[in-house]
Amino acid sequence: MVRTPLTPWERQRGERFGALLRQARGERSMVEVAAAAGVSAETLRKIETGRAPTPAFFTVAALAAALGTSLDELAAACAEAADEEQRALTA
């Protein structure tokens, strides 16, 4: 199966999401959070750096649970970041 290339917007969304996860992780180590979520530290590293901009739903859900945040909060924060970027571009 061939994956459709991601658009620049999708890549930016992945970078924003990764930044949100890093912020939510705070002082906790990447290894600690990854283990709590049941994913590898490399998977979390790829998501946080934007190299995996479209993680699977269940990976995102597991990370949200491990970080003590809801999927709604992550989605809202990601949308707010996108709105802020859009305002900056049009100003």
Side-chain angles (χ1 to χ4, degrees), residues 5-80:
L6 297 176
T7 66
W9 181 83
E10 290 169 323
R11 291 186 188 283
Q12 290 172 347
R13 181 184 60 194
E15 291 170 4
R16 283 192 305 272
F17 180 67
L20 289 169
L21 289 181
R22 276 192 307 278
Q23 182 180 0
R25 184 165 53 86
E27 297 296 318
R28 294 174 66 184
S29 76
M30 190 175 290
V31 172
E32 177 186 349
V33 172
V39 301
S40 71
E42 182 60 21
T43 295
L44 181 54
R45 182 177 295 108
K46 285 179 181 178
I47 295 169
E48 285 190 357
T49 60
R51 289 188 359 234
T54 58
F57 172 78
F58 291 104
T59 300
V60 174
L63 288 168
L67 293 168
T69 188
S70 72
L71 292 172
D72 288 339
E73 290 170 336
L74 285 175
C78 200
E80 288 172 11

